[in-house]
């Protein structure tokens, strides 16, 4: 399998690089994002076989099947071992890894609506990012050892990404993590999760500033090419292809749990920010998974909902990005969206390049409402969307708890609210749960008047010793720190 950039033209659309060559890279050199040159097709016989793999051998074996279609430069026995090491009950809490729960009461039965929540958040940091990041940690360690190299991962986080990265990379040979976060802006639980890590290869840096200051520091370091090369700086942000690929697996696992036969269809509703999670759903469907509709749910930061309603993609300034109670979806632009646009426009890399490099830079927006694949039968490429507000979240958390006895987090609440607006009788709707409520306890208290349950291993983490360095928002300061702390 070869990979090309979403901004490729002509011969370059056939791709020059294989999986391990793009694994440790961020953007393609032309500024685009990497995608496989085609989506491998899962025919009826393969889907039937995978259903048996799922039931007989479980998640790790299914992951191996999916990943094998995209990775041909790691020997099969090694890839299988990496999958088995990653997707264990120990790390993800249940034998199914991503178990489904049915939400059912008299009124859903009367309306013939079939609603499931797929739990993606039982990993080490209690958010869905663990599912991809844990694999990435093992892939990085494997590939760096094979090359005899090391890598310093530099990142900025406002919560879930940073902790998922640290828990994936802790103790890994050849990898060091430098993670900046805005001082005092994360929830106490999120801070404790990150800052209590004592592993020598993990460096927490609390910046006097906001998230944008952290991102600016990272950008400043990354654009200093000499420094970047000399200190082997890399990233693990949401545009990394391996993360997206790993996420494809749980769409198949959700489908096999919600259906008995491969003639059935399901829909998914996905709480979305950077369009990474739902982009993996798009890829699963392109491979042949029988998905009816992919429903994109946003919070008040509704860049994506606006696009799927109108065809207009209009990025916001960071000043116009609201701080909400589903903070992991507070984005001004959706960094993975370019991949979907590339497919929507029939893989016309020249047009994608013009849209993202020129049109967006000049006017902050572009309009695809006239693109055939968007308009056709109003299908919008099989997507739908909706948005949810703070009041909706409180209401959804409360009613879900009262009706079904299930406590959901704020991001999942956004999705559940929007899912209800798109349900069709007889067609199972799977809502992806992206975090556990304990991570966003303040809003749960606001909705229910009580604290969410805390998994036993997180008892008292706020009072553990902390390992964190405070820093002013200054690119030179972080460069000095990295230079001092890497070989
Ligand atoms: C990252 C995150 C999201 C958004 O996912 P995208 O892939 O960026 O669309 C939603 N919910 C939670 C809890 C997250 O951590």
């Amino acid at each position: 399998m070869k990979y090309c950039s979403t901004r490729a033209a002509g011969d370059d659309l056939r791709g020059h690089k294989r999986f391990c060559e793009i694994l440790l890279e961020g953007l393609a050199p032309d500024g685009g994002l990497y995608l496989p040159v085609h989506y491998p097709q899962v025919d009826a016989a393969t889907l039937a076989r995978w259903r048996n793999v799922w039931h007989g051998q479980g998640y790790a074996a299914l992951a191996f099947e999916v990943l094998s279609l995209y990775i041909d430069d790691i020997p099969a026995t090694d890839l299988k071992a990496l999958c088995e090491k990653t997707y264990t009950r120990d790390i993800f809490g249940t034998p199914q890894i991503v178990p489904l729960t049915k939400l059912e009461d008299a009124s859903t039965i009367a309306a013939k609506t079939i609603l499931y929540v797929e739990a993606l958040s039982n990993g080490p940091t209690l958010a869905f990012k663990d599912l991809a990041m844990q694999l990435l940690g093992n892939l990085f360690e494997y590939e760096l050892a094979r090359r005899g190299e090391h890598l310093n991962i530099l990142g900025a986080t406002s919560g879930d990404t940073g902790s998922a990265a640290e828990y994936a990379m802790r103790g890994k040979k050849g990898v060091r993590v430098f993670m900046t976060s805005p001082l005092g802006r994360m929830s106490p639980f999120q801070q404790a999760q990150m800052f209590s890590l004592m592993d020598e290869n993990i460096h927490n840096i609390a910046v006097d500033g906001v998230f944008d200051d952290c991102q600016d520091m990272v950008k400043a370091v990354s654009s200093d090419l000499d420094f970047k090369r000399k200190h082997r700086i890399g990233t693990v942000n949401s545009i990394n292809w391996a993360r997206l690929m790993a996420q494809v697996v749980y769409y198949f696992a959700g489908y096999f749990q919600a259906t008995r036969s491969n003639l059935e269809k399901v829909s998914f509703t996905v709480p979305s920010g950077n369009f990474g999670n739902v982009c993996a759903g798009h890829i699963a469907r392109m491979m042949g998974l029988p998905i009816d509709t992919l429903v994109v749910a946003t919070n008040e930061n509704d860049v994506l909902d606006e696009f799927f309603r109108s065809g207009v993609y209009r990025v916001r300034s960071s000043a116009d990005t609201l701080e909400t109670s589903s903070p992991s979806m507070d984005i001004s632009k959706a960094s993975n969206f370019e991949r979907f646009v590339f497919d929507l426009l029939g893989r016309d890399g020249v047009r994608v390049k013009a849209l993202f490099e020129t049109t967006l830079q000049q006017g902050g927006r572009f309009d695809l409402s006239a693109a055939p694949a968007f308009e056709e039968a109003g299908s919008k490429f099989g997507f739908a969307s909706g948005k949810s507000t703070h009041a909706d979240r409180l209401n959804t958390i409360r009613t879900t708890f009262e009706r079904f006895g299930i406590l959901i987090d704020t991001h999942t609440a956004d999705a559940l609210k929007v899912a209800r607006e798109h349900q069709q009788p007889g067609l199972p709707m799977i809502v992806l749960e992206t975090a556990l409520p304990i991570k966003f306890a303040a809003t749960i208290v606001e909705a229910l008047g009580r604290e969410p349950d805390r998994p036993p291993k997180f008892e008292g983490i706020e009072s553990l010793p902390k390992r964190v360095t405070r820093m002013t928002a200054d690119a030179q300061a972080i460069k000095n720190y990295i230079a001092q702390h890497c070989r």
Side-chain angles (χ1 to χ4, degrees):
M1 176 62 82
K2 293 274 179 54
Y3 291 85
C4 67
S5 163
T6 50
R7 298 184 189 180
D11 213 33
D12 290 342
L13 282 166
R14 292 215 292 271
H16 303 294
K17 293 185 174 172
R18 294 166 79 187
F19 177 79
C20 289
E21 292 172 82
I22 64 164
L23 171 65
L24 305 173
E25 280 185 42
L27 291 174
D30 62 8
L33 310 184
Y34 286 112
L35 271 181
V37 293
H38 66 91
Y39 295 118
Q41 293 304 299
V42 179
D43 59 16
T46 308
L47 197 60
R49 188 169 63 76
W50 284 9
R51 185 181 284 275
N52 288 333
V53 168
W54 165 257
H55 285 296
Q57 301 167 58
Y59 195 92
L62 180 64
F64 171 70
E65 295 289 341
V66 176
L67 269 48
S68 298
L69 301 178
Y70 291 101
I71 304 175
D72 55 13
D73 50 354
I74 295 178
T77 45
D78 292 356
L79 185 58
K80 197 158 206 273
L82 288 168
C83 290
E84 282 165 1
K85 181 177 169 188
T86 304
Y87 298 112
T88 69
R89 181 188 182 147
D90 252 16
I91 297 173
F92 286 97
T94 68
Q96 303 94 321
I97 309 296
V98 291
L100 235 56
T101 304
K102 196 170 195 174
L103 304 192
E104 190 171 50
D105 67 5
S107 74
T108 63
I109 292 170
K112 293 195 169 57
T113 51
I114 309 163
L115 186 61
Y116 293 97
V117 171
E118 182 172 357
L120 305 182
S121 48
N122 295 323
T125 73
L126 310 183
F128 87 101
K129 293 188 173 68
D130 289 329
L131 278 160
M133 209 68 95
Q134 288 287 318
L135 180 74
L136 205 64
N138 287 324
L139 283 169
F140 273 32
E141 186 177 52
Y142 175 87
E143 180 59 17
L144 287 166
R146 198 157 73 160
R147 296 186 193 181
E149 290 177 7
H150 64 273
L151 187 71
N152 293 304
I153 293 168
L154 173 63
T157 189
S158 54
D160 289 344
T161 308
S163 58
E166 291 189 352
Y167 279 77
M169 302 297 168
R170 64 186 295 201
K172 292 280 186 291
K173 290 183 215 71
V175 187
R176 228 178 260 114
V177 177
F178 297 89
M179 189 57 66
T180 60
S181 59
L183 184 72
R185 298 280 178 134
M186 291 187 291
S187 78
F189 185 88
Q190 287 178 313
Q191 283 186 46
Q193 268 188 321
M194 287 177 59
F195 298 170
S196 63
L197 286 179
M198 293 294 146
D199 304 77
E200 256 188 67
N201 70 328
I202 304 295
H203 297 267
N204 286 302
I205 297 157
V207 173
D208 280 309
V210 294
F211 176 61
D212 281 329
D213 297 314
C214 300
Q215 264 191 326
D216 288 345
M217 288 164 80
V218 171
K219 274 188 208 144
V221 175
S222 299
S223 55
D224 181 344
L225 296 182
D226 281 342
F227 185 91
K228 196 177 166 193
R229 205 171 308 121
K230 179 161 176 227
H231 295 286
R232 305 197 148 275
I233 303 292
T235 55
V236 289
N237 47 24
S238 71
I239 56 153
N240 182 290
W241 161 254
R243 282 181 64 183
L244 211 59
M245 174 193 69
Q247 292 172 179
V248 171
V249 180
Y250 55 69
Y251 284 88
F252 283 90
Y255 175 74
F256 292 138
Q257 291 178 83
T259 59
R260 291 231 176 82
S261 132
N262 292 341
L263 300 174
E264 293 175 57
K265 282 192 161 191
V266 301
S267 292
F268 286 90
T269 303
V270 187
S272 295
N274 274 317
F275 205 77
N277 199 353
V278 73
C279 193
H282 160 70
I283 292 167
R285 180 165 54 188
M286 296 294 275
M287 292 169 72
L289 185 67
I291 296 176
D292 185 87
T293 306
L294 287 165
V295 183
V296 176
T298 73
N299 63 19
E300 292 88 335
N301 297 293
D302 59 353
V303 184
L304 290 169
D305 179 40
E306 182 174 279
F307 173 77
F308 284 105
R309 277 186 293 108
S310 67
V312 174
Y313 181 63
R314 180 173 60 90
V315 301
R316 317 289 201 256
S317 68
S318 46
D320 286 338
T321 305
L322 302 166
E323 270 187 52
T324 75
S325 49
S326 45
S328 299
M329 291 153 60
D330 294 347
I331 52 100
S332 51
K333 59 181 190 334
S335 54
N336 262 294
F337 190 60
E338 184 169 332
R339 287 189 161 110
F340 172 67
V341 171
F342 183 61
D343 286 340
L344 187 72
L345 298 179
R347 302 206 141 202
D348 182 346
V350 174
R351 183 132 181 247
V352 171
K353 188 178 162 82
L355 286 176
F356 282 87
E357 227 176 61
T358 315
T359 315
L360 210 53
Q361 298 306 323
Q362 284 166 1
R365 71 198 285 283
F366 57 71
D367 183 350
L368 297 182
S369 59
F374 189 79
E375 263 195 326
E376 236 163 58
S379 77
K380 305 187 176 175
F381 224 52
F383 278 76
S385 71
K387 107 185 218 189
S388 157
T389 64
H390 181 68
D392 293 325
R393 283 189 278 287
L394 295 179
N395 184 44
T396 306
I397 290 168
R398 201 179 302 122
T399 52
T400 305
F401 189 67
E402 283 164 4
R403 283 177 64 185
F404 308 108
I406 290 166
L407 190 54
I408 52 171
D409 95 293
T410 51
H411 306 76
T412 311
D414 287 329
L416 199 53
K417 185 260 179 186
V418 173
R420 290 233 177 79
E421 298 164 354
H422 292 275
Q423 282 230 269
Q424 293 172 41
L427 180 67
M429 172 66 83
I430 303 175
V431 171
L432 298 186
E433 177 200 65
T434 53
L436 287 196
I438 185 66
K439 295 195 89 169
F440 306 96
T443 309
I444 305 298
V445 172
E446 194 181 339
L448 295 176
R450 74 169 189 87
E451 289 275 337
D453 295 332
R454 179 176 288 228
K457 65 178 171 183
F458 294 99
E459 273 324 326
I461 58 163
E462 288 91 340
S463 51
L464 290 175
K466 294 188 168 51
R467 190 161 168 272
V468 56
T469 302
R470 196 168 160 175
M471 198 175 279
T472 50
D474 170 18
Q476 194 53 47
I478 184 106
K479 283 186 190 171
N480 294 345
Y481 184 88
I482 293 171
Q484 272 164 25
H485 290 88
C486 71
R487 294 180 264 197

